[in-house]
Amino acid sequence: AQSVTQPDIHITVSEGASLELRCNYSYGATPYLFWYVQSPGQGLQLLLKYFSGDTLVQGIKGFEAEFKRSQSSFNLRKPSVHWSDAAEYFCAVGPTYNTDKLIFGTGTRLQVFP
Amino acid sequence: GAVVSQHPSRVICKSGTSVKIECRSLDFQATTMFWYRQFPKKSLMLMATSNEGSKATYEQGVEKDKFLINHASLTLSTLTVTSAHPEDSSFYICSAQNPGINTEAFFGQGTRLTVV
C-alpha cells in the first residue's frame, strides 16, 4: 500500500541550528515527492518537489531535500533555521508531477527557540 | 503563488445537522479541486476530486452521499457534510488547480469541524 511516514511528530530546534525532517515512503511506482509547509491559519505551501534527475532538490525559503531511493527517503533540510520557519511540515507522494491525488504524511511540527 | 480561501476555518455543529465548507480560488480559475481529510494524528487523505461542471470522483471508502461535493463554478467548490456525527469531526482541507496552466495545486487553510 502507498504510504508516507514522518517519524517525528514534533521537533524543537534553536534558531540558527541546522534542521533535518525525515520522510520515508512506500510506493509501488516511480514516486513523485513533495514537501509542504503550513503556518498557523494558512494553507499548505509547496516548498519543493522531486520527480527525476538530480536527487538533491532546492526549494524556497532555503530548504532542500535529498531523494535516496535505496532508503526510500526524502528528507528535508535547512542549514540554519529562522524563527519564522516554525510551522507544520508535510511530506507527500503522488503519482505524477501534478500535485493532485497526493498521499500525505502525518506532519512534523517544528518549534524554533530563540 | 495563487490564493485559495477556505471558509469557515472552524465550525462546531450539533449531531444530525449538515455543514457546508467553501473553497474558493481567488485569483485563478480552478478547473479541478481536491478535498482532503485529516484524522487526528493521521495523514491527510484525499477524499474526492471534483472537476468544474461534473460529478466528483470519490476515493474508495468515502461515502458520496455523506460528503456532498459541488463544483458549480471555476472559482468555487463546496463540501457539505450531511447528517454530521461526532466521528465526522476532523480537519478538512481543499486544494485547487488549473492543470492546463500549472502543475501545482494550491491549498486552502483548512476547516476544523467539531460535531457535538
Side-chain angles (χ1 to χ4, degrees):
Chain A
Q2 302 161 0
S3 66
V4 177
T5 302
Q6 292 181 248
D8 305 305
I9 297 172
H10 187 198
I11 284 182
T12 302
V13 299
S14 298
E15 190 170 18
S18 63
L19 172 71
E20 182 169 29
L21 302 182
R22 296 183 290 167
C23 173
N24 293 95
Y25 66 90
S26 173
Y27 201 73
T30 301
Y32 293 79
L33 296 158
F34 308 83
W35 271 101
Y36 283 86
V37 60
Q38 184 178 32
S39 299
Q42 304 294 315
L44 292 170
Q45 181 182 22
L46 181 65
L47 285 176
L48 49 78
K49 56 187 174 182
Y50 169 81
F51 72 109
S52 70
D54 193 344
T55 56
L56 185 63
V57 181
Q58 301 298 319
I60 62 171
K61 304 185 179 186
F63 285 92
E64 65 178 26
E66 186 171 13
F67 171 60
K68 293 184 178 181
R69 186 184 296 275
S70 61
Q71 299 177 19
S72 296
S73 70
F74 189 56
N75 294 348
L76 182 71
R77 301 194 296 245
K78 187 170 185 177
S80 178
V81 171
H82 188 261
W83 64 267
S84 61
D85 293 323
E88 186 95 19
Y89 291 82
F90 292 92
C91 180
V93 63
T96 72
Y97 195 64
N98 286 334
T99 56
D100 58 352
K101 292 187 177 292
L102 295 178
I103 298 170
F104 285 87
T106 49
T108 298
R109 179 164 298 278
L110 174 66
Q111 199 168 7
V112 181
F113 281 115
Chain B
V3 179
V4 174
S5 176
Q6 195 171 332
H7 178 81
S9 56
R10 290 179 179 272
V11 59
I12 300 173
C13 71
K14 290 185 177 181
S15 187
T17 63
S18 295
V19 175
K20 181 183 285 187
I21 302 169
E22 293 186 347
C23 180
R24 293 181 183 273
S25 57
L26 299 186
D27 51 6
F28 71 104
Q29 293 183 326
T31 52
T32 306
M33 287 188 171
F34 308 92
W35 287 95
Y36 294 84
R37 177 177 180 177
Q38 185 178 31
F39 294 92
K41 299 183 181 180
K42 298 289 186 183
S43 304
L44 275 166
M45 296 299 295
L46 180 66
M47 297 174 65
T49 302
S50 72
N51 293 296
E52 185 265 337
S54 61
K55 290 184 178 180
T57 302
Y58 290 80
E59 297 298 305
Q60 192 172 11
V62 178
E63 299 177 62
K64 60 182 180 181
D65 295 329
K66 174 76 170 175
F67 299 100
L68 300 179
I69 292 172
N70 185 285
H71 191 169
S73 78
L74 286 171
T75 59
L76 174 65
S77 176
T78 59
L79 168 68
T80 302
V81 183
T82 62
S83 187
H85 290 282
E87 57 265 30
D88 298 325
S89 298
S90 195
F91 182 71
Y92 295 87
I93 194 166
C94 71
S95 69
Q97 183 184 29
N98 189 325
I101 296 176
N102 199 319
T103 59
E104 182 174 349
F106 299 94
F107 285 80
Q109 71 272 39
T111 297
R112 173 72 59 190
L113 169 63
T114 303
V115 184
V116 298

